Amino acid sequence: MSEHGTPDDLKSLGERLDKARRDREAEAGRDGKVVGYREGAFGFAFRIGLDLVIPLVGGVGLGWLIDGWLGTRPWAMVVLFFLGAGAGMMNVYRAVMGLGSAVGYRPAERREERPTRENGARPLDEE
Amino acid sequence: MAVAETSPLHQFTVESLVPIHVGTFNLSFSNSALFMVIAVALITAFLVLSTRGARLVPTRWQSLAELSYEFVAGMVRENVGHEGRPYFPFVFSIFMFVLFGNLISLIPGSFAFTAHIVVTFALALTVFIAVTLVGFIRHGFHFLSFFVPRGMPALMVPLMVPIEILSYLFRPISLSVRLFANMMAGHTMLLVFAGFILSLGVFGVLPLAIDVALILFEVLVAVLQAYVFAILTCLYFQDAIHLH
């Protein structure tokens, strides 16, 4: 702070702001961490409930439809019931572990090697 | 669907204002459509009028418009990153539409179109299709590797791939149900308590007090649900853009 004490040193301030913004932006989407998703406990509970139940109900419904088309009642429904239950549990696991909505069961690897990040990451509203 | 006038659910009845029938399709202009048009008109008026003759030191309206822009821009920047910039207009439109739909539905006598699963599901389906298209355009068929998480034991693949595909397919449903259920529950609850106000006589003050508190809560829910809808859209874009 003190080394940039002169009031007309706006250029370096701008540079530092740009750098801070770039760093923040580069962090976005890393580790599959959800940066901005804040809800109350009730909202979170509601979300978890939906995430658990929707794939289960949807899976059974989809299985019922497939059975209707293929005449394989009740096998598609049985299979999709268990898959839906699994999908619901995966959703809840990801939500609780803070992995966001990405696939998999552990944080994504860092994507340092992506070339697009390095060149000219500018803030969104600067155009 | 016939619902009695006094029912708390009567407010959700769709009535056609201008009947239009094309072939077997009923394309009537309904009260739901009317309020969607009102929402779009209000958003356009708000953004166009407030930024007309934009100044360096913003007026109150201009700063409101800038605030909403900055809010969504920050959301996209933080959740999707630099590559998310092309999708900002899409996220912003969705956010403003849901936000205005939720907020004008709280004005007495208006119609809550975001409390209808048809509307929210259509919105969620648009997001789903957009995200899937973006994924395929950016990564080609490599996008399908999205369903095979890295570091998964080969033994688990036949089990996990269908599970991942299922949970991907049902995203638009949970996205739409979340918004629809919140709005529908809030509006129904408001009218249930309102129904007690007159019938309880003097003690009607109690449900009235509850309704006053509820309507404040509903304003919060209206903004929060628009935020959640937009941020989940951002997260889906993040998934599709940065394959893991």
Side-chain angles (χ1 to χ4, degrees), chain A residues 1 4 13 15-16 19 22 27 29-30 33-34 39-40 51 59 61 73 76 81-82 86 90-91 105 116 119 127:
Chain A
M1 269 300 161
H4 299 291
L13 179 69
E15 276 164 10
R16 278 182 295 148
K19 189 184 173 300
R22 250 198 313 276
E27 270 310 304
R30 289 266 176 82
K33 275 277 182 227
V34 182
E39 255 187 303
D51 280 352
R73 193 148 295 163
F81 170 84
F82 286 108
M90 283 299 292
N91 281 345
Y105 45 86
T116 42
N119 43 34
E127 198 164 36

Coordinates of all heavy atoms in Angstrom, one line a residue, chain A residues 1 4 13 15-16 19 22 27 29-30 33-34 39-40 51 59 61 73 76 81-82 86 90-91 105 116 119 127:
Chain A
M1 N 0.8 -1.2 0.0 CA 0.0 0.0 0.0 C 0.9 1.3 0.0 O 0.7 2.1 -0.8 CB -0.9 0.0 1.2 CG -2.3 -0.6 1.0 SD -3.1 0.2 -0.3 CE -4.3 -1.0 -0.8
H4 N 2.7 2.7 -3.0 CA 1.9 3.4 -4.1 C 1.1 4.6 -3.5 O -0.1 4.8 -3.8 CB 0.9 2.4 -4.7 CG 1.5 1.2 -5.3 ND1 2.3 1.3 -6.4 CD2 1.6 -0.1 -4.9 CE1 2.8 0.1 -6.7 NE2 2.4 -0.7 -5.8
L13 N -2.6 1.3 -9.9 CA -3.8 0.8 -9.3 C -4.6 0.0 -10.3 O -5.1 -1.1 -9.9 CB -4.6 2.0 -8.7 CG -5.9 1.6 -8.0 CD1 -5.6 0.8 -6.7 CD2 -6.8 2.8 -7.8
E15 N -3.5 -1.5 -12.9 CA -2.9 -2.7 -13.2 C -3.1 -3.8 -12.1 O -3.4 -4.9 -12.4 CB -1.4 -2.5 -13.4 CG -1.0 -2.0 -14.8 CD 0.4 -1.4 -14.8 OE1 1.1 -1.5 -13.8 OE2 0.7 -0.8 -15.8
R16 N -3.0 -3.3 -10.9 CA -3.2 -4.2 -9.8 C -4.6 -4.8 -9.7 O -4.9 -5.9 -9.5 CB -2.9 -3.6 -8.4 CG -1.4 -3.6 -8.1 CD -1.1 -3.0 -6.8 NE -1.4 -1.5 -6.8 CZ -1.9 -0.9 -5.7 NH1 -2.0 -1.6 -4.6 NH2 -2.2 0.4 -5.8
K19 N -5.0 -7.3 -12.4 CA -4.3 -8.6 -12.0 C -5.2 -9.4 -11.0 O -5.4 -10.6 -11.2 CB -2.9 -8.3 -11.4 CG -2.1 -9.5 -11.1 CD -0.8 -9.2 -10.4 CE -0.1 -10.5 -10.1 NZ -0.9 -11.4 -9.2
R22 N -8.0 -10.9 -12.8 CA -7.6 -12.0 -13.6 C -7.4 -13.2 -12.8 O -7.8 -14.3 -13.1 CB -6.3 -11.7 -14.4 CG -6.4 -11.5 -15.9 CD -5.1 -11.6 -16.6 NE -4.1 -10.8 -16.0 CZ -3.9 -9.5 -16.2 NH1 -4.7 -8.9 -17.0 NH2 -2.9 -8.9 -15.7
E27 N -9.3 -18.5 -11.2 CA -9.8 -19.5 -10.2 C -11.1 -20.1 -10.5 O -11.4 -21.2 -10.1 CB -9.9 -18.8 -8.8 CG -8.6 -18.8 -8.0 CD -8.0 -20.2 -7.9 OE1 -8.7 -21.1 -7.4 OE2 -6.8 -20.3 -8.2
G29 N -14.1 -22.0 -11.9 CA -14.2 -23.3 -12.6 C -13.1 -24.2 -12.2 O -13.1 -25.4 -12.7
R30 N -12.1 -23.8 -11.5 CA -11.1 -24.8 -11.0 C -11.7 -25.6 -9.9 O -12.6 -25.2 -9.2 CB -9.9 -24.0 -10.4 CG -9.1 -23.3 -11.5 CD -8.0 -24.1 -11.9 NE -7.3 -23.5 -13.0 CZ -6.3 -22.6 -12.8 NH1 -6.0 -22.2 -11.5 NH2 -5.7 -22.0 -13.8
K33 N -15.2 -26.3 -7.7 CA -15.8 -25.7 -6.5 C -16.8 -24.7 -6.9 O -16.7 -24.0 -7.9 CB -14.7 -25.0 -5.7 CG -13.9 -25.9 -4.7 CD -14.7 -26.1 -3.4 CE -13.9 -26.9 -2.5 NZ -14.7 -28.0 -1.9
V34 N -17.9 -24.7 -6.2 CA -18.9 -23.8 -6.5 C -18.6 -22.4 -5.7 O -18.5 -22.4 -4.5 CB -20.3 -24.3 -5.9 CG1 -21.4 -23.3 -6.3 CG2 -20.6 -25.6 -6.6
E39 N -27.0 -20.3 -0.3 CA -28.4 -20.4 0.0 C -28.6 -20.7 1.5 O -27.6 -21.1 2.1 CB -29.0 -21.6 -0.8 CG -29.8 -21.3 -2.0 CD -30.5 -22.6 -2.5 OE1 -29.8 -23.5 -2.8 OE2 -31.7 -22.6 -2.5
G40 N -29.7 -20.5 2.0 CA -29.9 -20.8 3.4 C -30.0 -22.3 3.6 O -30.0 -23.0 2.6
D51 N -32.8 -33.1 -5.6 CA -31.8 -33.8 -6.3 C -31.8 -35.3 -6.1 O -31.4 -36.1 -6.9 CB -30.4 -33.3 -5.8 CG -30.0 -32.0 -6.5 OD1 -30.8 -31.6 -7.4 OD2 -29.1 -31.4 -6.1
G59 N -36.5 -41.7 -13.4 CA -36.0 -43.0 -13.9 C -37.1 -44.0 -14.0 O -37.3 -44.7 -15.0
G61 N -40.3 -43.3 -14.3 CA -41.2 -42.8 -15.4 C -40.7 -43.2 -16.8 O -41.4 -43.7 -17.6
R73 N -42.2 -55.0 -20.1 CA -42.6 -54.7 -18.7 C -42.3 -55.9 -17.9 O -42.5 -57.0 -18.3 CB -44.1 -54.4 -18.7 CG -44.6 -53.9 -17.4 CD -45.8 -52.9 -17.7 NE -45.3 -51.7 -18.4 CZ -46.1 -50.9 -19.1 NH1 -47.4 -51.1 -19.1 NH2 -45.6 -49.8 -19.7
A76 N -37.3 -52.7 -17.9 CA -36.6 -51.4 -18.0 C -36.9 -50.6 -16.7 O -36.1 -49.8 -16.2 CB -37.1 -50.7 -19.2
F81 N -35.1 -47.9 -12.1 CA -35.4 -47.5 -10.7 C -34.1 -47.5 -10.0 O -33.7 -46.6 -9.3 CB -36.4 -48.5 -10.1 CG -36.5 -48.4 -8.6 CD1 -37.4 -47.4 -8.1 CD2 -35.8 -49.2 -7.7 CE1 -37.5 -47.3 -6.7 CE2 -35.9 -49.0 -6.4 CZ -36.7 -48.1 -5.9
F82 N -33.3 -48.6 -10.1 CA -32.0 -48.6 -9.4 C -31.0 -47.6 -9.9 O -30.3 -47.0 -9.1 CB -31.4 -50.1 -9.4 CG -32.2 -51.0 -8.6 CD1 -33.0 -52.0 -9.1 CD2 -32.1 -50.9 -7.2 CE1 -33.8 -52.8 -8.3 CE2 -32.9 -51.8 -6.4 CZ -33.7 -52.7 -7.0
G86 N -29.4 -44.5 -7.8 CA -27.9 -44.3 -7.8 C -27.6 -42.9 -8.2 O -26.8 -42.2 -7.5
M90 N -25.8 -40.0 -6.0 CA -24.6 -39.3 -6.5 C -24.8 -37.8 -6.5 O -23.9 -37.0 -6.1 CB -24.3 -39.7 -8.0 CG -23.7 -41.1 -8.2 SD -22.1 -41.2 -7.4 CE -21.1 -40.1 -8.4
N91 N -26.0 -37.3 -6.9 CA -26.3 -35.9 -6.8 C -26.1 -35.4 -5.4 O -25.5 -34.3 -5.2 CB -27.7 -35.6 -7.3 CG -27.8 -35.7 -8.8 OD1 -26.8 -35.6 -9.5 ND2 -29.1 -35.8 -9.2
Y105 N -16.8 -38.3 -8.6 CA -17.0 -38.3 -7.2 C -15.8 -37.7 -6.4 O -15.6 -38.0 -5.3 CB -17.3 -39.7 -6.7 CG -16.4 -40.7 -7.3 CD1 -15.1 -41.0 -6.7 CD2 -16.7 -41.4 -8.5 CE1 -14.3 -41.9 -7.3 CE2 -15.8 -42.3 -9.1 CZ -14.6 -42.5 -8.5 OH -13.8 -43.4 -9.1
T116 N -6.0 -21.4 -23.3 CA -6.9 -20.2 -23.4 C -6.9 -19.4 -22.1 O -7.2 -18.2 -22.2 CB -8.4 -20.7 -23.6 OG1 -8.6 -21.8 -22.8 CG2 -8.6 -21.1 -25.1
N119 N -3.8 -16.4 -22.3 CA -3.7 -15.2 -23.1 C -5.0 -14.3 -22.9 O -6.1 -14.7 -23.1 CB -3.6 -15.5 -24.6 CG -4.5 -16.6 -25.1 OD1 -5.6 -16.8 -24.5 ND2 -4.0 -17.4 -26.0
E127 N -15.4 -4.1 -22.7 CA -15.3 -4.2 -24.1 C -16.0 -3.1 -24.8 O -17.0 -2.6 -24.3 CB -16.0 -5.5 -24.5 CG -15.6 -6.0 -25.9 CD -15.9 -7.4 -26.2 OE1 -16.9 -7.9 -25.7 OE2 -15.2 -8.1 -26.8

